[in-house]
Amino acid sequence: MPFTLYPAIDLKAGQVVRLKRGDMAQATIYGDPATQAAAFDKAGFGWLHVVDLDGAFAGRPANAAAVDAILAATTRPVQLGGGIRDMATVEAWLKRGIARIILGSAAVKDPDFARAACRAFPGQVAVGIDAKDGMVATEGWAEVSSVSALDLALAFEDAGAAAIIHTDIERDGMLGGVNVEATAALAARLSTPVVASGGVAGVEDILALRAAGGVAGTIIGRALYDGRITPEAAIAAARG
């Protein structure tokens, strides 16, 4: 199974930012979305991972212009999450050129819709599971539900989801190392591909995820922006 890297472009008020543990008050601004997308494209990454942070909190798309600019600046497929809570929004983003939609809060709060979306657009809808101590967090991580990450993932096993994107929110943006054990354990229980997110600090995290087996890829954010890992080194590690 190929191991795919997803460099992250998180959007807040039309700009690229990185947060610490999803805290909107702890945002570091990195600049223009289109410029960043073009840079990741040129570096050779196969996908881009985009999150509409304002949309995640508002429950509806809030950075459409920035997303359109990213799509215009890259030839790579783009997966997008944040504020996608109904079928009309899913369809609208796919028509605009998004390759894969990520459903997070909606998967917990409206699972019937999320499952229907997976089935209506096979291979184009992923389920984002953001977990704190194994329990699912929603609404831009502002709320922690009573649903476990494993139970939610299992509920989508027969829905045709393109992937499960598992984020350990205690590690996200902290550069403390990815939660390899939890991600690999989740992947071992599922037939749906699992993508790791949160805490990747360097090449060693990519190598550890690959060595664990069963994990389909990982999202990389702050480590790339802060220069702790170069695109070339990340891509080489993913290829083995």
Side-chain angles (χ1 to χ4, degrees):
M1 180 175 62
F3 189 88
T4 304
L5 298 179
Y6 299 84
I9 300 178
D10 289 356
L11 302 173
K12 181 175 185 285
Q15 294 182 301
V16 181
V17 303
R18 294 303 300 166
L19 306 183
K20 292 183 178 180
R21 293 175 177 154
D23 185 352
M24 290 287 268
Q26 297 189 64
T28 303
I29 298 173
Y30 286 95
D32 176 64
T35 301
Q36 188 61 66
F40 283 150
D41 186 320
K42 185 177 180 180
F45 288 106
W47 278 78
L48 300 184
H49 173 81
V50 179
V51 178
D52 180 352
L53 294 172
D54 301 302
F57 281 89
R60 62 185 183 280
N63 281 285
V67 174
D68 286 341
I70 288 170
L71 290 170
T74 182
T75 60
R76 311 296 182 180
V78 175
Q79 64 179 20
L80 172 70
I84 304 169
R85 308 290 169 84
D86 55 54
M87 197 70 79
T89 305
V90 172
E91 293 174 354
W93 279 127
L94 293 176
K95 287 180 180 178
R96 285 171 99 135
I98 293 296
R100 182 188 293 166
I101 293 298
I102 304 167
L103 300 179
S105 295
V108 180
K109 300 201 169 185
D110 193 353
D112 289 342
F113 149 64
R115 288 169 62 85
C118 290
R119 289 177 172 143
F121 302 101
Q124 292 183 284
V125 180
V127 176
I129 299 181
D130 303 331
K132 181 177 182 180
D133 298 325
M135 306 306 289
V136 177
T138 63
E139 307 303 327
W141 303 348
E143 300 176 12
V144 178
S145 74
S146 59
V147 180
S148 76
L150 176 59
D151 285 345
L152 180 60
L154 288 171
F156 282 87
E157 274 285 78
D158 64 345
I164 297 293
I165 298 174
H166 175 255
T167 303
D168 183 333
I169 67 174
E170 287 294 288
R171 301 188 184 218
D172 190 73
M174 302 305 292
L175 297 170
V178 71
N179 193 335
V180 177
E181 183 178 351
T183 306
L186 185 64
R189 294 290 304 274
L190 303 174
S191 60
T192 306
V194 174
V195 175
S197 175
V200 173
V203 169
E204 63 278 4
D205 288 307
I206 298 172
L207 295 174
L209 285 167
R210 288 187 67 248
V215 180
T218 189
I219 294 164
I220 312 177
R222 187 175 290 273
L224 281 172
Y225 289 93
D226 288 357
R228 292 172 181 260
I229 183 171
T230 65
E232 295 78 13
I235 291 168
R239 289 174 177 167

